[in-house]
Amino acid sequence: MHDSFKFPLIIFNPKSGGGNSKKLFNKYYSFLKENYVYNKIEVFESHSKQETIDKVIEAHNNIFDLIISIGGDGSISTICNGLMKINIDKRLPILPLPCGSGNSFLKDFNIHSIKDSIKKFKKNNQTMVDVFLVEEINGNFKWYCINVIGLGFISNIAKYGEEKFNKLGALKYIFSTLFTLKEFKPYDTKIKYNNYIKKFNSKKVFFISISNSKFTGGKIMIAPYAKFNDGLMDVVILHDISRLRFLNGFRKVFKGKHINDKGCFYFKTKDIEIHANPEYLIMPDGELEGKSPIKVKVIPKQIRFVI
């Protein structure tokens, strides 16, 4: 372990990557023990979001000086929600080790494996990352997001994939796209942004993504110009096009070439409010929870990553 850290806490999510993280955990743990034997490493196996949040809150009052996340984007996101309940000057840094089905957030840092994570960790690279606060307007759901919020076709794909193809890893997004399209109907959507002064209205919105980093769903470059520490969210809306053009545009998102296409509305903002009929199912950081109408705002540079 880097000399700056002596007492790491591993938070391990055995359900990440469709259960694949359980297979990888021993490999990760053995690597850490073999290379950093002088450290006492505690492992916490979490089985729920609340367990993780409670452990993070408890950890800052103990001897721990680092949280090692073994899981995917959802695991990192849940740890961040625990940290956001603690004063910023007492929040522990996170070392994320990729173990999910997509690991989208880490791709902005060119991290694809444990070797990539440890290589950067040895250099003690640390950076502060923005978070988004998403809140239901008519409900109680509130969540801090580190990567992306998806609505519409995106969240519908995730729901189908979770129900039908959860064991296929990143491939589940491709299969789910094909099956979801058959039954999909666009959303009548009203949006306010930039201090809720600017407006966007469309009766035919296919999807909305609100991004802090470039990737979602593994290799989908949904927001090619996003920066995780610029104090802004990158919003992409695909709307008012034929289903055929929608398919063509959706194909382009894998390489980030959709931004200038007809029917793609892209902008940066510090805040946004979204209303729709029917209501959108919300997907914050890859987890399906919450529904529109919602408000989202950026809170700059809140979480420290060793990355």
Side-chain angles (χ1 to χ4, degrees):
M1 195 66 62
H2 193 277
D3 290 342
S4 299
F5 304 106
K6 301 294 183 182
F7 302 104
L9 167 66
I10 292 177
I11 296 182
F12 162 54
N13 180 1
K15 295 181 180 180
S16 287
N20 191 47
S21 62
K22 199 161 188 177
K23 298 176 183 177
L24 292 174
F25 172 74
N26 289 334
K27 175 183 175 182
Y28 281 139
Y29 186 70
S30 297
F31 182 91
L32 292 169
K33 290 292 286 184
E34 288 170 8
N35 288 272
Y36 311 108
V37 292
Y38 60 88
N39 286 298
K40 176 184 177 182
I41 301 178
E42 180 172 325
V43 178
F44 177 73
E45 183 173 319
S46 176
H47 297 279
S48 71
K49 288 182 179 180
Q50 193 57 53
E51 280 187 1
T52 297
I53 290 171
D54 291 344
K55 187 64 179 181
V56 169
I57 295 171
E58 174 193 318
H60 96 282
N61 288 319
N62 291 316
I63 62 172
F64 303 112
D65 55 11
L66 175 70
I67 295 175
I68 300 176
S69 170
I70 298 182
D73 293 334
S75 300
I76 298 170
S77 180
T78 305
I79 290 171
C80 290
N81 274 268
L83 291 172
M84 289 300 291
K85 295 182 180 294
I86 303 166
N87 289 338
I88 190 168
D89 58 332
K90 295 182 179 180
R91 292 173 193 161
L92 299 179
I94 303 174
L95 168 62
L97 303 183
C99 212
S101 58
N103 302 309
S104 305
F105 176 70
L106 298 184
K107 286 181 172 59
D108 274 34
F109 303 90
N110 293 317
I111 292 176
H112 306 278
S113 68
I114 185 174
K115 290 182 179 179
D116 295 333
S117 292
I118 297 301
K119 185 177 180 180
K120 293 201 173 190
F121 182 70
K122 286 180 177 178
K123 296 179 181 178
N124 196 21
N125 291 331
Q126 298 189 32
T127 188
M128 296 295 288
V129 174
D130 302 341
V131 298
F132 300 163
L133 174 60
V134 55
E135 299 179 271
E136 285 181 337
I137 293 175
N138 297 333
N140 298 317
F141 178 70
K142 179 190 295 187
W143 195 253
Y144 294 98
C145 300
I146 197 73
N147 186 34
V148 63
I149 303 166
L151 304 91
F153 192 68
I154 296 173
S155 54
N156 292 7
I157 288 173
K159 185 175 186 295
Y160 201 97
E162 189 176 88
E163 294 174 351
K164 304 292 184 180
F165 303 115
N166 202 36
K167 295 183 179 181
L168 295 182
L171 284 175
K172 71 181 180 183
Y173 299 108
I174 297 173
F175 284 101
S176 299
T177 299
L178 298 174
F179 281 91
T180 300
L181 184 64
K182 185 178 179 181
E183 300 175 356
F184 181 77
K185 294 181 181 179
Y187 292 78
D188 184 356
T189 305
K190 293 179 173 59
I191 292 174
K192 295 187 288 186
Y193 62 101
N194 277 359
N195 294 319
Y196 309 113
I197 295 173
K198 290 191 174 182
K199 296 181 180 180
F200 169 89
N201 299 322
S202 170
K203 293 184 179 297
K204 195 177 180 181
V205 170
F206 286 87
F207 73 73
I208 304 170
S209 71
I210 304 170
S211 298
N212 194 31
S213 58
K214 293 179 175 63
F215 292 91
T216 185
K219 297 181 179 180
I220 300 174
M221 192 186 290
I222 193 70
Y225 306 121
K227 295 182 180 179
F228 53 81
N229 59 2
D230 64 354
L232 297 168
M233 63 183 81
D234 286 47
V235 181
V236 176
I237 306 172
L238 199 60
H239 67 101
D240 290 293
I241 52 178
S242 68
R243 194 166 289 248
L244 182 61
R245 184 178 286 273
F246 165 65
L247 271 178
N248 187 51
F250 194 76
R251 177 181 58 82
K252 289 183 178 182
V253 303
F254 286 87
K255 294 185 177 180
K257 295 183 177 180
H258 56 292
I259 293 297
N260 297 317
D261 276 6
K262 178 183 177 181
C264 185
F265 182 45
Y266 163 73
F267 60 92
K268 289 177 177 277
T269 182
K270 294 180 180 179
D271 50 60
I272 192 169
E273 182 174 314
I274 301 172
H275 297 255
N277 182 27
E279 295 174 331
Y280 284 112
L281 181 64
I282 310 302
M283 186 177 65
D285 286 340
E287 303 289 331
L288 291 164
E289 193 165 1
K291 60 183 180 180
S292 64
I294 58 169
K295 284 186 176 182
V296 185
K297 67 177 181 180
V298 181
I299 310 177
K301 298 181 180 178
Q302 293 295 304
I303 306 294
R304 183 178 301 278
F305 281 86
V306 185
I307 204 166

